[in-house]
Amino acid sequence: QLVSKRLLREDEQDGAEVLLQPLPEDEVSELLRGVQRASEDRKTLLRRLRRALQDKETQQKFVRLDGSVRTLVGLFTGSLADVQMEAARCLHELSHSSDAAVAEACMPVTSYLLTYLSGHSVEFMELCLYTLGNLVVESEAVRKQLLPQGIIPVLASCIQSPHEAVLEGLGYVLSQLLQAKEAPTEIIPLVLDSVLPQHMLRLVCSGLKSGTGAAVEFAWCLHYIVWPGAGKTWARIPKALSFSLSKLTCPVLRCLGNLLAEETGCEAQIQDERLLAALFTVMQCYLQKQPFIVPEGLWLLNNLTADDPFFCFALLSLDLLPALLQLLPCSQAASVLVLTVLCNVAEKGPTYCQQLHQRAALPLLLGPLALPDPEVVGQCLELLHLLFLHCPQAAVDFVRQGGPQTLKQHQSTPELQERVQGLLDMALQLPGASVFSSSPAASSAFS
């Protein structure tokens, strides 16, 4: 749906019949000649042409006629407002074609579409924006023409419009540009060099909570800038962009994380496992040069996995657990957040705990468990409690791997004493756990 074309059609209130069948070529030609002749019926003929252009075959026949698009462009740039609007609607129908040749036949109108994005009615600007967006979807030639024509500066001026319809149309155009295969090298640098990112962030933060269409469009635009190709095209991004992207990444992560932290219904709208894959790609890309991004990403991951099991399941099914565990030693903040995410997964019940245990999460917990950091150790204890509760075999293996000796280090820490003893008692009560506790030191730990 994000890459599909969009069509604006006014309600048919004049009683005219919508043409459902393709017109013969001679009728298309006659209709064009009628439009070309200056007459009082031009507006009516344009309406009939617009309905005819709803058919793909008729679109192809029309653009093959000599002077057909040139005629529409001439009327589109004329001084008669009602004729101009009807010509714009005809061009909009053509832009909705799935035939790239039809889209490229409309290239002579692109500069005028950009010009008319200032100083005209909201309805006219909206029509121009969606026509541009449709043309951008279909043809790389159109995109390459629009860039030197100044589409990015024009969109940057439009983003300050007070009209929701204009902003939503602008978001549509921009999202199509940012999904182009050449976006990382040719489009994203221009966008980052404009005022678009800061205004998009403002509109996302102010509008997503209320569910405005523009805010949703701009949220996806920011997604495409920060995670081009959902993590598949990082190698094609110029190195000079890395710092600019990192500055934009933090606000996007925080914005989405804040929305998930509130009861906005946002989590139900973003249940797409590709988001999880992209998030891990981002954290891995910035791990060495901008490690402060990692806690930001983990905080978002925490909010994604806190309630709904969708992303907990995706974390395991996409085999991202090893990548998550590798982030444990990054920093104190990262350790706490990684352990919190693991707790979120373990809270979902026995199946999830068994998966964590089978994927060797337990041995990697012994390192953080030995740290002299009460916050990190506290999260380890919470995770172990959930694992022992839902997967008794985890307790048996924990004892076998020398876990009780590590726990003993914290028996004198006031804020951890009670939880440590409770966890040891819990492990002792599980059948088979004490079998592996043969040394006097281990036995005394359970007494």
Side-chain angles (χ1 to χ4, degrees):
Q1 189 175 18
L2 291 170
V3 295
S4 61
K5 294 191 174 188
R6 301 187 191 176
L7 191 60
L8 301 179
R9 283 180 181 159
E10 65 171 359
D11 294 330
E12 303 292 349
Q13 297 177 344
D14 55 8
E17 183 181 355
V18 177
L19 298 173
L20 300 177
Q21 298 296 325
L23 285 181
E25 191 157 347
D26 58 339
E27 289 189 34
V28 177
S29 180
E30 179 60 32
L31 193 52
L32 174 62
R33 284 195 294 271
V35 169
Q36 289 171 331
R37 291 192 295 267
S39 70
E40 296 179 358
D41 295 332
R42 176 173 281 166
K43 181 178 175 181
T44 302
L45 290 169
L46 281 170
R47 284 185 175 177
R48 183 162 181 255
L49 176 62
R50 169 165 53 90
R51 295 187 183 95
L53 291 176
Q54 294 174 13
D55 174 74
K56 180 178 178 178
E57 288 184 33
T58 304
Q59 292 170 346
Q60 294 168 336
K61 293 172 184 176
F62 180 79
V63 297
R64 285 197 296 263
L65 293 174
D66 186 43
S68 55
V69 174
R70 187 169 62 250
T71 297
L72 287 181
V73 173
L75 297 174
F76 176 65
T77 57
S79 57
L80 299 175
D82 54 349
V83 171
Q84 185 183 41
M85 181 62 83
E86 286 302 328
R89 288 176 178 142
C90 289
L91 290 165
H92 183 63
E93 291 290 346
L94 290 174
S95 77
H96 197 254
S97 174
S98 58
D99 186 343
V102 174
E104 291 174 12
C106 296
M107 288 176 66
V109 79
T110 58
S111 63
Y112 298 108
L113 289 169
L114 294 177
T115 300
Y116 289 146
L117 290 181
S118 60
H120 286 74
S121 70
V122 171
E123 182 184 9
F124 193 71
M125 290 177 67
E126 183 185 22
L127 193 59
C128 290
L129 284 165
Y130 281 100
T131 301
L132 276 170
N134 289 344
L135 294 174
V136 161
V137 172
E138 202 61 56
S139 170
E140 183 177 357
V142 171
R143 296 193 296 270
K144 288 188 177 297
Q145 177 170 286
L146 282 166
L147 290 176
Q149 287 178 344
I151 186 171
I152 301 301
V154 170
L155 295 180
S157 65
C158 284
I159 203 170
Q160 301 183 54
S161 170
H163 302 291
E164 170 69 18
V166 172
L167 292 174
E168 189 168 348
L170 188 157
Y172 169 63
V173 178
L174 194 56
S175 68
Q176 304 315 305
L177 283 170
L178 293 171
Q179 290 179 83
K181 62 181 181 180
E182 69 274 15
T185 54
E186 298 180 24
I187 298 171
I188 290 177
L190 293 173
V191 172
L192 287 173
D193 199 38
S194 72
V195 299
L196 283 167
Q198 66 190 66
H199 284 290
M200 285 192 287
L201 279 171
R202 172 180 58 83
L203 291 163
V204 167
C205 292
S206 63
L208 259 186
K209 191 170 182 179
S210 57
T212 64
V216 174
E217 293 286 357
F218 291 133
W220 280 107
C221 288
L222 292 170
H223 167 81
Y224 297 133
I225 293 173
V226 176
W227 302 316
K232 296 179 181 177
T233 58
W234 275 92
R236 304 205 325 250
I237 299 179
K239 291 182 179 179
L241 283 184
S242 121
F243 183 65
S244 296
L245 286 172
S246 71
K247 288 195 298 183
L248 186 57
T249 300
C250 265
V252 173
L253 293 175
R254 288 187 183 183
C255 176
L256 188 51
N258 283 334
L259 288 166
L260 288 165
E262 300 177 15
E263 295 182 1
T264 61
C266 178
E267 63 278 1
Q269 301 175 31
I270 58 170
Q271 288 192 348
D272 189 331
E273 61 185 20
R274 292 174 299 176
L275 173 60
L276 208 58
L279 179 56
F280 273 89
T281 299
V282 169
M283 291 192 289
Q284 290 167 359
C285 284
Y286 287 126
L287 181 58
Q288 299 301 322
K289 293 187 178 180
Q290 282 98 24
F292 65 90
I293 296 289
V294 174
E296 299 287 347
L298 289 171
W299 179 67
L300 171 57
L301 182 60
N302 171 49
N303 288 352
L304 285 170
T305 55
D307 296 313
D308 196 314
F310 177 86
F311 284 105
C312 294
F313 179 80
L315 184 72
L316 297 173
S317 65
L318 294 176
D319 199 24
L320 292 171
L321 185 59
L324 177 63
L325 293 171
Q326 286 174 5
L327 300 176
L328 262 174
C330 288
S331 66
Q332 190 269 353
S335 295
V336 171
L337 286 165
V338 168
L339 292 166
T340 305
V341 170
L342 292 172
C343 286
N344 292 343
V345 176
E347 282 177 343
K348 302 304 183 289
T351 301
Y352 289 86
C353 286
Q354 288 166 12
Q355 285 289 316
L356 289 176
H357 182 50
Q358 290 168 9
R359 295 174 191 230
L362 199 58
L364 292 174
L365 292 182
L366 295 178
L369 190 61
L371 293 175
D373 186 316
E375 189 177 5
V376 173
V377 174
Q379 282 301 108
C380 281
L381 297 178
E382 178 65 24
L383 179 56
L384 288 171
H385 171 78
L386 290 166
L387 287 172
F388 294 176
L389 179 66
H390 295 301
C391 181
Q393 184 60 40
V396 175
D397 293 341
F398 179 74
V399 173
R400 184 178 59 188
Q401 293 167 17
Q405 286 84 351
T406 305
L407 278 179
K408 281 182 61 179
Q409 300 174 20
H410 306 291
Q411 285 185 317
S412 59
T413 305
E415 62 265 45
L416 298 176
Q417 282 178 341
E418 186 176 346
R419 296 170 67 189
V420 167
Q421 190 58 50
L423 195 62
L424 290 172
D425 292 343
M426 184 179 185
L428 180 62
Q429 293 169 7
L430 294 171
S434 60
V435 171
F436 300 99
S437 182
S438 57
S439 69
S443 297
S444 63
F446 290 96
S447 61

